[in-house]
């Protein structure tokens, strides 16, 4: 039995849930003597709470969709990932080929060189030379 009916809502206990505050809850197969599933927050694994109590105290429980695997991510980004890798296109090479290397002469001069305290020091230094 992996479902539980509460307030007319069928909860699929094989999925994790998140409450309105963003706390994740999951069922680890434990039941209360009254037949209610005990939910556990991964941050507090030693304090299971009955599902009706979590539902009442923490608002509605939203089921979390299963997280996609690495293969599913690759398929979404590049459906022909194997052919892309076989052609020699590797992310590190693409990033290195596109990103320019900046040197110090690409940067604008610091405003502290001309104004402020450093500017004042430069005028004193210049006055000594004259």
């Amino acid at each position: 039995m992996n479902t539980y009916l509460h307030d007319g809502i069928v909860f699929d206990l094989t999925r994790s849930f998140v409450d309105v505050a963003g706390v994740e809850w999951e069922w680890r197969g434990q039941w209360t003597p009254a037949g209610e599933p005990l939910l556990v927050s991964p941050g507090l694994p030693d304090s299971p709470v009955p599902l009706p109590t979590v539902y009442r105290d923490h608002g509605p429980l939203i089921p979390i969709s299963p997280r996609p695997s690495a293969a599913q991510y690759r398929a979404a980004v590049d459906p022909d990932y194997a052919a892309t890798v076989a052609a020699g296109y590797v992310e590190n090479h693409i990033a290195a080929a596109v990103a320019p290397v900046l040197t110090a002469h690409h940067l604008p001069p610091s405003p502290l060189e001309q104004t402020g305290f450093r500017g004042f020091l430069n005028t004193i230094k210049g006055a000594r030379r004259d």
Side-chain angles (χ1 to χ4, degrees):
M1 181 165 142
N2 291 330
T3 59
Y4 179 73
L5 179 66
H6 177 69
D7 280 347
I9 301 169
V10 177
F11 289 92
D12 180 7
L13 299 176
T14 61
R15 299 176 77 176
S16 295
F17 299 93
V18 66
D19 63 21
V20 293
V23 177
E24 190 171 334
W25 297 89
E26 60 186 28
W27 179 64
R28 295 189 177 167
Q30 298 175 332
W31 297 89
T32 65
E36 301 168 336
L38 288 170
L39 298 182
V40 176
S41 176
L44 300 167
D46 295 332
S47 57
V49 183
L51 186 141
T53 304
V54 174
Y55 190 80
R56 181 193 69 221
D57 294 346
H58 301 284
L61 297 174
I62 304 159
I64 297 176
S65 298
R67 292 172 174 86
S69 66
Q72 289 171 325
Y73 276 120
R74 279 196 297 271
V77 172
D78 184 0
D80 201 7
Y81 181 77
T84 303
V85 172
Y89 296 106
V90 179
E91 292 176 15
N92 293 339
H93 294 102
I94 293 170
V98 174
V101 177
L102 297 178
T103 57
H105 73 276
H106 287 99
L107 302 174
S110 169
L112 292 177
E113 294 293 331
Q114 294 90 24
T115 61
F117 187 68
R118 185 162 296 190
F120 171 71
L121 291 178
N122 286 338
T123 60
I124 294 173
K125 186 168 126 183
R128 288 188 195 168
R129 281 193 241 158
D130 291 342

